[in-house]
Amino acid sequence: MKRLLYRLKTAPYFTGLILFLTILALNVVIQTPARFFSAANINSLVAKNLPLILITMSQGLLMMSGVIDFSVGVQVSLSNVIAIMIPQSLGLPIWVGWLCAVAGCVAVSAFNGFITTYLRIPVLLSCYSMVFVVKGLNVLIMPKPQGSVPPVIYKTYDSVLLGFLPFSALILAAVLLFWLYLKRTAFAKALYATGGNLRHAYSSGINTSAVRMKVYLIAGVINGIAGLCMTAMTASGDPNAGEVYGLKTVAACILGGISMSGGWGTLSCALYGALLLILTQNGVSNLFNFLSRAIPGFSVTNYWQNFASDLIILLALILTVFTNKAMMGSIKKQADYLALGGKRNEA
Amino acid sequence: MFEMRSIVKHFGSVKALNGACLSVKPGEIRALLGSNGSGKSTIVKIMGGIVRANAGELLMDGVPIRIESAADSRSFGFAVAYQELSLLPQMSVIDNIMLGHEYTRRGGLLDEKRRRESVRGLLERLEIKCSPDALVQNISPSEQSMVEVAKALSREPKFLLLDEVTASLHHDEVESLFRVLREEKAKGVSILIVTHRMNEIYQVCDSATIFRNGATAAEGPMSRFPLNEVIYHMTGTRVKEEAAAAPRSTAKGQDALLRVEHLTMKPKVSDISLHVDKGEIVGIGGLEGQGQAEYMKAIFGDLTPDAGEMWFEGRQLRLKDTSQAVKRGISYISGDRTKESVFSLRTIEENLTAGDAALGGVWSWVSAKKIRKMAGDAVERYQIKIGAITDSASSLSGGNQQKLAIARGIAVGPKLLLLNDPTKGVDINSRNEIHKILRDSSAEGMGVLLVSSDTEELLGICSRIYVFYEGRVVAELSGDQRTEENIVRAMIGGAPEGREEAGT
Amino acid sequence: MKHKNFAGSLQRFVQGHVVFMAFLMALAVFCVNIILNPRSLNRNAFGSILALTSLLALSGAGQTMVVITGSGIDLSAGSIMSLTAILSVQLMNGANQHIGLCIVISVALGALLGLCNGIGVTKIKLPSMIITYAMSNVITRLQFIVTEGKPTGSAAPALSAALSYRVLGLFPAILFYCVVLSVLLFVLLRHMKYGKRLYLLGDSHSVAHYTGIANDRMVLLTYVLAGILYGVAGLIGAGYFAYVTCGMLDVYTMRSIVAVVIGGAVLTGGKGTYFGTIAGALFMVVLSNCLAVLSVRDCVQNIIMGLVIIGVLTLYNRDKSVRQ
């Protein structure tokens, strides 16, 4: 137990996990454990928010390698509109449309990677310009929300396997498994090094541009998949739905403990960060429902709920500064302890 | 056999290398010597593939080669331990050492066991005591330097290049490093060492190349280069044997401008007291990294000491911020131009008047005319060689940039000037001019506290010299005690005999 | 070889005269516009270009200062503008008697929100992008709470008149405020110690620190000033458009950042002028006006806009290569 606690305190996701557990506990209390942990509730939480979780992860990957991409949000919409429009207007089979959707996101990400790593345009500006471009593309492809998907797709997406396992969670698990593999390859080390200090990574013989390009490509694939999830979830297309996600994912990554300057964090940081956002919103809305039931005459508009959850997120962002400090402190302590000849993870 | 011929490299208008040549034979340890700023680091970086030469030839066994990237450099068998280190502070020691040449198993997975064993072996061989799992940001600076060497060694290079890695090493660490270097040399590895510590060179090096102003001044076996000869080639002038005319301070202890008592700041500074009188130039000597910089920064209000008291002009000095120090009449100039002393994007004029801009209310008016005059006067008075006064500061040569910084510090008329190695990487002429500026200013009553790793500089202008060693003062020298021998002995911690060659 | 030299000297020239280049590009786009559609050369179009440029330049004033500090970008610019615009319009409610109060409220609110941003950046030490983004979310939510989603009222007639009046039938009065502000900022940045310090610390926080500049206080002050400028810009925006919706001026966040950068500032700080920002604003407005006049669809406009920004940045805002 002590060992576990110690490991936790020195993990990059410490910040994200602490904040996530706090908000999870609040959610459970408000909603009562039985209702919160019911398969239906979990399923709806994951299924409804999977696109956000996935693009937060791709943003996390990018941030770990030292870049940022606001255009992940519009890329989700891009994938969404391509997946709908190719079968609808060209009459091609659905799977072709879906492949093209992912390919479209990969192409956008690759272009974005090209202008940041090879043209060396400051990353904030390049991805902002890309938001414009992709937003325009989306509307060009699909002028207004429309379209539909076969019922089998959204029914599968919403289904709960074996009575407890949401289908959408499987997709999430697949991405996480991919990261678990990636983390144990030389590429991950090169990724962290590139994010940590470009010059130092380069002088260690790493082709930093190629590493960044690869990260962009992986992010493109994940964004494409996120767009497909969005398609399956909404069962239609909307060219403008994704834009708000762009900056949200950056905040989620920070909440999870990924460093803005790169080279620090893991993908579980992004997961906890995204879940934190989702549960905050969920918890606040449930709390207000509960209050309006408990206190007669208490009624507020949705606006108050949004305000409350954004305020909580602002406070949580401020808290990350302190939890990160605590984590770095424990890592330092561990290093000092190890230097004295102690064994790993025992204190 | 690797050879570099007539290498040229500019950084903007600054010429770092101008026809430098260098060669290394297999199984040889070669020293690359030269004063600061003579282009040693640049040529090492060209070999490492992180700087592109503007002109010149590289020959490997007589065959011309091109190094286009750091990865190229590695494939030719080079491995570099950089002075400013190429480590990633947020990654573990293992990850850092193995970075760029990982052991992998089937499916691209890392072979954790082999990585760990190989790193453990290296750490043991170099006698580095840190844990392989510790993050590099959490190990001591000297361990970091050793890890940097381990990282280079782990690549099993044909050419090992060490750029001033010994600067922050302790005595026993240097010993184990040299043992490993001799072993590598026996295996036929060519080694190039850049260092300022002369005694080390005589211990391990077979031959030397000496740079001056970006060009090769001399080359040959170590036996050809006794210390005098090395200094001659580095500076281009014979050392004159005249005793430094003792610049004596007229004032005595009672009107101390600055009095520091028992200043302690763990782990760098322990219990150091000193005083500076009005119109006196006081020197602080010692090898790099013995706590001098931290001490100065504590006086300047940049770092907060753990214990100790400071008195300035008879009043207690308790600073929360550097801006308060400047308001009280204390200026700080450092030799670290990029980080601490020169605003490279801004113009020469703005640099010269930055000290003035830092004083006074934020809303106070700045007259363009007055600023122009102030800057013009400073340029003239301190003979700074500039193009136009509205050029950016990065257009100046290193020596002139440094004069710029010092002129800025003096322009606000401080009562005390703190100088942290101000002539680092500055050519001999500018250095003499800077010294003259300091002498003139101190004659007008300004107190100067000067940290320098250059013994000659300390002897030349300081009336009293404190020598730091591992965060303590090991000697306070004034009057006749101010000799090079005394300083050097104190610098190496009053080391035992056998290391005397350092001073000769 | 010769070709390379030419490209090199062209790049040097462009990088040395960024403000000039931005004006030149704006002029070029405007000429293209006239050639393609001669009818667009009329008083009305010209006046609206000037008016929109002025508004963008006003909103870019605070952003310019924040970018110069080198502590990042301010993503709350647009939301602060929207908030003060909404509050002013509600308060004025089509009558003139509360104009003075509105000015006071806009300034005070801008200062307060800027102070929050500044504290987040300097004391709590969050990345400026993150803290200002989170702040902007909260501010936007506040707008919805205050107005219940449907802002009512309209700007005071006097204010609207003072902003949309056309001098000589051509120059919009809002241009006058922009000119006044640019003179003020010129004095502030060039002739006051504040400006001198701002550029110095933007160049290098650490060198400024060792020169004795109190960086944190300066950055804090800059965010407060920027907040005030956004507040005032919001009020002016409300007066100019005469009606408001929640989050109406939010687009000015990103637009102002792009204008600042096209005007020659770098996001790492220490470089940039307000004249540059005005030039950048002019370029943006002329470009989007040109696209609108050519009756290009909105979405294609966006695509072209994005690609043009990338092109312009490639010309003069590239990072240094890893290899020297």
Side-chain angles (χ1 to χ4, degrees):
Chain A
M1 187 60 208
K2 211 170 165 187
R3 220 170 124 161
L4 191 73
L5 193 74
Y6 206 76
R7 190 148 166 207
L8 206 152
K9 262 167 48 186
T10 56
Y13 53 77
F14 174 69
T15 294
L17 190 61
I18 287 292
L19 294 174
F20 163 70
L21 288 177
T22 316
I23 208 84
L24 180 72
L26 288 178
N27 264 279
V28 172
V29 169
I30 295 166
Q31 253 179 306
T32 72
R35 226 179 305 154
F36 183 83
F37 288 112
S38 72
N41 187 44
I42 297 285
N43 183 36
S44 95
L45 272 181
V46 178
K48 245 191 350 204
N49 295 298
L50 189 58
L52 175 63
I53 299 176
L54 287 180
I55 55 170
T56 305
M57 285 179 168
S58 72
Q59 185 75 271
L61 271 178
L62 291 162
M63 280 174 75
M64 281 185 256
S65 73
V67 286
I68 281 184
D69 189 358
F70 302 150
S71 75
V72 291
V74 284
Q75 281 184 39
V76 168
S77 295
L78 179 71
S79 163
N80 177 224
V81 296
I82 294 180
I84 295 283
M85 289 313 275
I86 282 195
Q88 188 178 316
S89 47
L90 300 181
L92 291 168
I94 286 179
W95 63 269
V96 175
W98 286 41
L99 273 184
C100 289
V102 176
C105 284
V106 172
V108 167
S109 273
F111 183 68
N112 206 349
F114 171 75
I115 56 178
T116 48
T117 54
Y118 292 102
L119 293 187
R120 301 194 303 273
I121 294 177
V123 62
L124 287 181
L125 299 167
S126 68
C127 69
Y128 169 61
S129 320
M130 284 308 286
V131 170
F132 262 110
V133 174
V134 179
K135 206 161 74 170
L137 273 179
N138 291 346
V139 179
L140 197 65
I141 297 170
M142 181 192 277
K144 55 175 186 290
Q146 58 182 289
S148 63
V149 294
V152 59
I153 289 173
Y154 59 80
K155 277 193 181 140
T156 315
Y157 181 76
D158 270 336
S159 63
V160 178
L161 306 176
L162 309 173
F164 70 95
L165 191 61
F167 180 79
S168 47
L170 285 183
I171 302 172
L172 187 59
V175 176
L176 280 174
L177 272 178
F178 171 69
W179 167 248
L180 281 183
Y181 163 75
L182 205 63
K183 214 171 109 178
R184 284 164 178 71
T185 63
F187 177 70
K189 305 292 178 195
L191 186 157
Y192 281 121
T194 306
N197 187 319
L198 199 63
R199 273 184 71 84
H200 289 181
Y202 183 82
S203 61
S204 307
I206 287 173
N207 185 346
T208 48
S209 305
V211 170
R212 284 232 167 116
M213 261 329 262
K214 280 185 205 161
V215 175
Y216 269 105
L217 292 180
I218 296 173
V221 174
I222 299 180
N223 295 338
I225 295 174
L228 296 183
C229 293
M230 182 95 140
T231 313
M233 179 182 93
T234 58
S236 72
D238 182 349
N240 297 316
E243 201 187 340
V244 286
Y245 286 155
L247 274 162
K248 227 181 215 180
T249 52
V250 179
C253 287
I254 301 280
L255 285 172
I258 294 177
S259 142
M260 186 92 166
S261 46
W264 184 255
T266 79
L267 219 54
S268 37
C269 296
L271 177 66
Y272 292 130
L275 290 177
L276 180 65
L277 283 191
I278 293 159
L279 288 184
T280 305
Q281 212 137 27
N282 184 59
V284 168
S285 98
N286 280 317
L287 177 68
F288 276 77
N289 282 343
F290 171 76
L291 287 181
S292 61
R293 261 181 285 124
I295 309 169
F298 179 93
S299 90
V300 287
T301 52
N302 263 346
Y303 303 132
W304 279 100
Q305 290 184 18
N306 291 336
F307 176 71
S309 54
D310 276 343
L311 200 60
I312 292 174
I313 287 162
L314 174 64
L315 294 177
L317 280 168
I318 292 172
L319 269 181
T320 59
V321 174
F322 301 101
T323 47
N324 279 336
K325 238 181 231 161
M327 172 193 64
M328 286 300 175
S330 352
I331 292 178
K332 172 107 180 65
K333 243 200 256 157
Q334 188 188 35
D336 293 345
Y337 176 75
L338 288 172
L340 294 173
K343 275 199 189 135
R344 195 170 160 74
N345 294 333
E346 286 166 27
Chain B
M1 172 89 174
F2 173 70
E3 235 180 307
M4 300 176 89
R5 285 191 194 147
S6 37
I7 305 290
V8 178
K9 176 69 194 174
H10 317 269
F11 292 106
S13 61
V14 182
K15 221 167 208 173
L17 287 174
N18 191 9
C21 304
L22 178 69
S23 67
V24 216
K25 290 191 216 60
E28 153 186 83
I29 303 185
R30 179 172 283 252
L32 178 55
L33 307 171
S35 47
N36 285 318
S38 59
K40 297 169 310 220
S41 282
T42 310
I43 207 156
V44 169
K45 282 176 185 160
I46 289 175
M47 284 188 263
I50 58 173
V51 168
R52 184 185 287 117
N54 295 110
E57 264 189 303
L58 279 71
L59 299 171
M60 179 74 76
D61 297 325
V63 185
I65 57 164
R66 292 165 68 88
I67 300 180
E68 294 289 348
S69 69
D72 267 5
S73 149
R74 268 201 52 215
S75 65
F76 286 117
F78 291 99
V80 191
Y82 290 100
Q83 179 185 9
E84 62 268 38
L85 308 181
S86 65
L87 302 174
L88 281 310
Q90 294 178 330
M91 293 173 78
S92 74
V93 172
I94 296 190
D95 288 352
N96 264 290
I97 290 179
M98 300 310 295
L99 191 66
H101 64 121
E102 305 279 3
Y103 294 123
T104 48
R105 288 182 294 150
R106 260 180 318 118
L109 290 172
L110 292 173
D111 190 341
E112 289 293 346
K113 210 172 132 202
R114 230 179 120 196
R115 296 172 86 217
R116 185 169 295 269
E117 270 166 14
S118 131
V119 168
R120 235 180 239 289
L122 269 171
L123 294 184
E124 268 163 31
R125 193 167 160 216
L126 283 163
E127 294 171 37
I128 311 173
K129 284 175 204 73
C130 70
S131 147
D133 292 307
L135 300 187
V136 163
Q137 65 187 2
N138 291 330
I139 63 179
S140 71
S142 69
E143 283 171 337
Q144 288 180 1
S145 291
M146 288 301 269
V147 169
E148 176 80 14
V149 175
K151 181 175 168 183
L153 269 178
S154 73
R155 276 137 221 258
E156 292 170 0
K158 277 197 289 179
F159 300 93
L160 179 63
L161 318 174
L162 305 177
D163 188 0
E164 294 212 31
V165 284
T166 54
S168 61
L169 295 185
H170 298 303
H171 181 241
D172 41 345
E173 287 170 322
V174 174
E175 289 300 315
S176 53
L177 173 63
F178 285 176
R179 177 177 48 71
V180 172
L181 290 187
R182 289 194 192 98
E183 289 166 19
E184 290 292 313
K185 171 182 156 185
K187 283 195 227 158
V189 174
S190 316
I191 299 168
L192 185 73
I193 300 181
V194 180
T195 177
H196 281 304
R197 295 185 175 178
M198 288 300 165
N199 57 336
E200 293 173 356
I201 295 162
Y202 292 106
Q203 268 183 47
V204 288
C205 295
D206 306 314
S207 57
T209 299
I210 303 174
F211 273 21
R212 184 170 71 235
N213 297 334
T216 307
E219 198 170 16
M222 210 61 231
S223 54
R224 262 187 51 204
F225 295 116
L227 193 62
N228 294 341
E229 205 63 16
V230 171
I231 293 174
Y232 165 66
H233 288 299
M234 274 165 63
T235 58
T237 48
R238 291 282 170 193
V239 182
K240 287 177 222 116
E241 287 300 331
E242 67 180 71
R248 278 187 172 269
S249 75
T250 45
K252 279 293 153 213
Q254 47 271 52
D255 64 19
L257 181 65
L258 172 80
R259 205 146 48 82
V260 183
E261 281 169 5
H262 310 293
L263 188 89
T264 298
M265 203 162 40
K266 292 286 172 207
K268 281 291 192 178
V269 178
S270 40
D271 192 19
I272 298 184
S273 308
L274 57 68
H275 68 95
V276 180
D277 295 344
K278 259 187 202 141
E280 188 187 28
I281 304 182
V282 175
I284 296 180
L287 293 170
E288 266 181 56
Q290 306 299 317
Q292 304 99 315
E294 288 76 9
Y295 193 70
M296 294 290 257
K297 286 178 182 173
I299 298 174
F300 191 52
D302 180 29
L303 300 173
T304 318
D306 301 331
E309 284 183 344
M310 288 181 270
W311 300 79
F312 184 67
E313 295 187 297
R315 297 212 327 258
Q316 191 152 16
L317 193 64
R318 275 209 197 92
L319 300 170
K320 285 200 200 84
D321 194 356
T322 52
S323 60
Q324 292 178 338
V326 174
K327 265 188 212 126
R328 291 282 294 268
I330 304 176
S331 280
Y332 171 92
I333 305 292
S334 148
D336 184 346
R337 286 190 287 278
T338 49
K339 275 209 198 101
E340 296 179 1
S341 62
V342 174
F343 296 101
S344 54
L345 290 175
R346 308 313 307 172
T347 64
I348 293 163
E349 181 182 280
E350 282 173 288
N351 266 282
L352 281 167
T353 54
D356 178 60
L359 283 170
V362 271
W363 310 120
S364 50
W365 183 265
V366 180
S367 137
K369 224 173 172 184
K370 207 180 115 201
I371 289 284
R372 177 82 17 124
K373 186 167 175 305
M374 205 169 140
D377 286 353
V379 168
E380 215 169 288
R381 181 167 170 206
Y382 303 120
Q383 297 175 2
I384 305 170
K385 286 177 207 72
I386 60 167
I389 203 150
T390 49
D391 285 351
S392 72
S394 55
S395 70
L396 298 180
S397 71
N400 279 306
Q401 286 190 12
Q402 201 56 43
K403 275 198 263 176
L404 195 71
I406 290 174
R408 179 186 78 210
I410 297 176
V412 291
K415 294 170 190 136
L416 175 68
L417 190 61
L418 304 171
L419 295 163
N420 186 3
D421 228 343
T423 56
K424 200 187 204 171
V426 168
D427 60 283
I428 192 96
N429 265 333
S430 308
R431 179 179 294 211
N432 286 337
E433 283 166 17
I434 289 172
H435 290 171
K436 186 171 170 301
I437 297 170
L438 294 179
R439 279 201 209 95
D440 291 352
S441 309
S442 76
E444 288 165 21
M446 188 174 76
V448 178
L449 186 57
L450 167 77
V451 167
S452 176
S453 45
D454 183 343
T455 322
E456 211 178 304
E457 177 165 53
L458 291 170
L459 288 171
I461 60 170
C462 302
S463 56
R464 269 184 307 121
I465 300 165
Y466 296 89
V467 183
F468 280 33
Y469 181 75
E470 296 197 336
R472 286 174 291 110
V473 169
V474 285
E476 181 186 347
L477 307 167
S478 59
D480 301 337
Q481 299 165 301
R482 294 162 52 256
T483 63
E484 180 152 12
E485 203 195 336
N486 279 340
I487 295 181
V488 172
R489 178 168 297 138
M491 257 161 93
I492 49 181
E497 291 83 3
R499 295 187 51 157
E500 278 297 315
E501 67 255 50
T504 54
Chain C
M1 199 60 206
K2 203 180 169 194
H3 169 73
K4 200 176 173 188
N5 276 339
F6 173 72
S9 52
L10 177 72
Q11 194 173 13
R12 257 198 303 285
F13 176 79
V14 170
Q15 285 165 353
H17 303 83
V18 171
V19 180
F20 176 68
M21 279 307 296
F23 274 120
L24 204 66
M25 285 189 301
L27 190 69
V29 174
F30 191 62
C31 288
V32 170
N33 186 3
I34 293 168
I35 292 165
L36 292 177
N37 190 347
R39 266 186 308 163
S40 65
L41 187 64
N42 62 40
R43 279 180 167 193
N44 237 343
F46 201 66
S48 95
I49 286 180
L50 287 180
L52 286 173
T53 303
S54 305
L55 190 59
L56 181 51
L58 286 168
S59 65
Q63 195 73 260
T64 310
M65 289 175 13
V66 171
V67 169
I68 292 174
T69 64
S71 68
I73 52 177
D74 191 340
L75 292 178
S76 66
S79 57
I80 296 179
M81 285 170 67
S82 297
L83 181 65
T84 57
I86 282 174
L87 287 181
S88 319
V89 166
Q90 284 217 320
L91 200 61
M92 289 189 276
N93 203 10
N96 286 338
Q97 75 239 39
H98 291 309
I99 292 183
L101 184 63
C102 282
I103 295 174
V104 173
I105 286 183
S106 297
V107 168
L109 205 58
L112 177 72
L113 295 170
L115 184 69
C116 296
N117 283 333
I119 288 173
V121 172
T122 58
K123 302 286 182 247
I124 303 173
K125 298 198 189 306
L126 272 169
S128 68
M129 214 183 91
I130 291 303
I131 184 79
T132 54
Y133 167 67
M135 281 292 293
S136 81
N137 277 342
V138 173
I139 296 168
T140 306
R141 300 307 186 193
L142 268 178
Q143 295 167 23
F144 282 95
I145 290 176
V146 172
T147 62
E148 310 222 293
K150 293 179 283 295
T152 52
S154 57
L159 185 67
S160 295
L163 287 167
S164 49
Y165 175 74
R166 297 260 162 123
V167 184
L168 306 175
L170 178 67
F171 299 103
I174 187 171
L175 184 65
F176 169 75
Y177 298 96
C178 183
V179 170
V180 169
L181 182 67
S182 66
V183 171
L184 275 179
L185 274 191
F186 181 77
V187 168
L188 181 68
L189 293 181
R190 288 280 151 198
H191 289 286
M192 284 188 172
K193 294 216 159 152
Y194 170 79
K196 296 277 169 197
R197 285 180 205 173
L198 196 68
Y199 280 107
L200 292 174
L201 81 91
D203 187 345
S204 163
H205 277 238
S206 64
V207 179
H209 175 70
Y210 287 114
T211 310
I213 294 173
N215 286 342
D216 278 2
R217 246 177 293 158
M218 277 294 295
V219 173
L220 194 65
L221 179 62
T222 303
Y223 274 95
V224 172
L225 286 180
I228 292 175
L229 288 171
Y230 302 140
V232 173
L235 179 66
I236 290 177
Y240 180 75
F241 290 114
Y243 75 98
V244 287
T245 54
C246 288
M248 179 175 79
L249 301 175
D250 286 3
V251 286
Y252 279 94
T253 302
M254 279 303 187
R255 278 192 202 163
S256 64
I257 293 171
V258 173
V260 168
V261 172
I262 289 183
V266 288
L267 292 187
T268 44
K271 248 179 161 179
T273 57
Y274 187 53
F275 289 122
T277 303
I278 295 175
L282 183 65
F283 173 72
M284 297 264 294
V285 172
V286 169
L287 181 64
S288 77
N289 180 63
C290 175
L291 295 174
V293 166
L294 296 178
S295 60
V296 176
R297 284 164 62 194
D298 263 6
C299 53
V300 181
Q301 269 189 41
N302 274 338
I303 297 177
I304 295 175
M305 202 73 171
L307 292 177
V308 167
I309 296 170
I310 292 173
V312 170
L313 294 176
T314 317
L315 261 182
Y316 58 67
N317 209 325
R318 294 174 65 182
D319 286 338
K320 282 205 189 94
S321 165
V322 203
R323 195 159 178 245
Q324 292 171 315

